[in-house]
Amino acid sequence: MLTTVFRTALLGLTLSIAAGPGAFAQDGDPAEGKKVFRKCQACHTVQDGKHRQGPSLYGVIGRKAGTAEGFKRYSDAMKAYGVVWDESGIDAYLENPKQAIPGNKMIFVGLKKPEDRANVIAYLKQAAE
Ligand code: HEC
């Protein structure tokens, strides 16, 4: 009996070490996210300073909304939004851009699947490293 408890505990420990820090369920897969990013590519790049119709998304996590250097076409709504982008903020924006920031200029229906959003956010994170 004791041995079983011990083994189970040991197995749990081994698994959490193998998964590494921060690897919990809602973490996305950057490789899958790269595929999702095809939907964004018409308007965004992940290269520093390279803007298209939309601003470069290089380093967007941790950046204040509406402040990509050199991007001149932000809407007043985005400039006024004033929030520093984190994962949950981008998640909410991508789920329904129009509703999250009324009046913003991103003409995109949104990503309905939570895993698509988690994956593309993981890709954005990785692309900034
Ligand atoms: C049709 C073009 C278009 C598509 C497709 C598009 N975007 Fe955008 N995106 C924009 C524009 C334009 C803005 C700036 C909006 C504004 O200023 O109101 C923007 C803004 C953003 C911002 C805020 C950037 C900042 O500097 O504050 C994020 C994050 C973002 N988009 C992510 C994405 C992701 C991820 C996808 C794909 C899932 C995507 N967008 C698809 C055009 C697009």
Side-chain angles (χ1 to χ4, degrees), residues 3-127:
T3 332
T4 316
V5 172
F6 181 70
R7 279 217 187 112
T8 314
L10 197 67
L11 182 68
L13 189 68
T14 317
L15 285 179
S16 55
I17 290 169
F24 46 94
Q26 78 220 50
D27 269 6
D29 174 351
E32 285 302 310
K34 191 174 181 175
K35 293 182 203 159
V36 178
F37 194 75
R38 288 186 195 136
K39 296 185 177 165
C40 325
Q41 264 171 355
C43 306
H44 293 288
T45 77
V46 289
Q47 282 128 279
D48 196 7
K50 200 164 172 226
H51 308 304
R52 292 194 176 145
Q53 187 183 328
S56 162
L57 294 180
Y58 175 83
V60 70
I61 297 167
R63 187 168 79 199
K64 199 172 159 192
T67 61
E69 218 182 306
F71 185 73
K72 308 283 183 215
R73 290 187 297 270
Y74 281 116
S75 62
D76 292 339
M78 185 61 82
K79 284 188 283 191
Y81 187 54
V83 164
V84 173
W85 288 120
D86 62 8
E87 289 165 49
S88 66
I90 294 182
D91 183 73
Y93 181 48
L94 293 180
E95 185 178 7
N96 190 338
K98 257 191 184 162
Q99 196 183 305
I101 309 177
N104 91 96
K105 284 199 303 197
M106 176 156 114
I107 313 294
F108 183 65
V109 288
L111 296 172
K112 297 304 163 213
K113 288 191 204 153
E115 63 266 31
D116 281 355
R117 298 195 300 272
N119 290 340
V120 84
I121 289 166
Y123 174 67
L124 291 177
K125 256 168 118 177
Q126 191 193 57

